[in-house]
Amino acid sequence: MATQHHHHRDLEGETLVSAARDALIEAGEQWTEMRADVFEALAGCEKPASAYDIAEKVGTARGKRVAANSVYRILDLFVRANLARRVESANAYVANSHPGCRHDCIFLICDLCGKAVHSDDDKLTGALRLAAQAAGFADVRPVVEIRGHCAECAAGD
């Protein structure tokens, strides 16, 4: 299978929000005002964001404090519904710019600026799935993160 490269914001603005809303409703969940606010805040981030970052953005927009644990629950729902992806090593999240598209991501994370780009390589993640299944694991979800310096930061080294 071909390797695809995606920056996490291929769909943007209202198009991305609409696609996320439709995907969540199709998954049998409600698109509440709070979920919309959390998704919009996440989608507006240039880098992976923590639940605390999102809670602060949403709280500022709403004019009242928003608890990070509420945001964590919403982000976990977004990950289960394929609206967001979790960058494990940073305990942070990025909006999925292809809400209806299911694929494993290989994150390329810049140690200097924090930018995260994802690449899809079904051949690589397929091999990881097969190895896990051979070891008796079910419902496998490969998480691959590669850290280094992005092109812009490497040019400045």
Side-chain angles (χ1 to χ4, degrees):
M1 291 187 175
T3 299
Q4 303 172 343
H5 296 280
H6 298 295
H7 184 273
H8 75 274
R9 295 199 39 187
D10 290 351
L11 290 180
E12 296 180 333
E14 286 303 313
T15 304
L16 177 57
V17 173
S18 293
R21 181 190 63 235
D22 294 348
L24 192 63
I25 292 169
E26 188 174 310
E29 298 288 343
Q30 294 180 352
W31 184 257
T32 65
E33 187 177 328
M34 180 65 162
R35 289 175 180 176
D37 289 348
V38 168
F39 188 82
E40 288 174 18
L42 179 63
C45 294
E46 293 296 318
K47 301 175 191 174
S50 71
Y52 292 96
D53 297 333
I54 300 299
E56 186 175 322
K57 281 182 122 177
V58 173
T60 299
R62 289 181 156 219
K64 62 181 180 179
R65 185 183 171 283
V66 171
N69 62 348
S70 296
V71 173
Y72 268 117
R73 284 193 296 274
I74 293 170
L75 290 170
D76 287 343
L77 169 65
F78 288 171
V79 169
R80 286 192 311 274
N82 200 34
L83 304 184
R85 301 204 177 271
R86 186 168 186 268
V87 180
E88 304 284 340
S89 64
N91 192 23
Y93 300 82
V94 295
N96 181 1
S97 60
H98 312 100
C101 180
R102 293 223 176 254
H103 52 79
D104 299 320
C105 282
I106 301 166
F107 281 107
L108 309 170
I109 305 162
C110 181
D111 286 326
L112 298 176
C113 72
K115 177 170 122 180
V117 174
H118 75 266
S119 174
D120 307 326
D121 187 333
D122 293 337
K123 185 176 178 182
L124 176 62
T125 56
L128 294 171
R129 283 178 180 280
L130 288 175
Q133 290 167 351
F137 281 77
D139 195 24
V140 175
R141 183 183 60 89
V143 177
V144 179
E145 298 181 15
I146 301 171
R147 301 194 70 98
H149 299 165
C150 70
E152 289 117 28
C153 290
D157 283 350

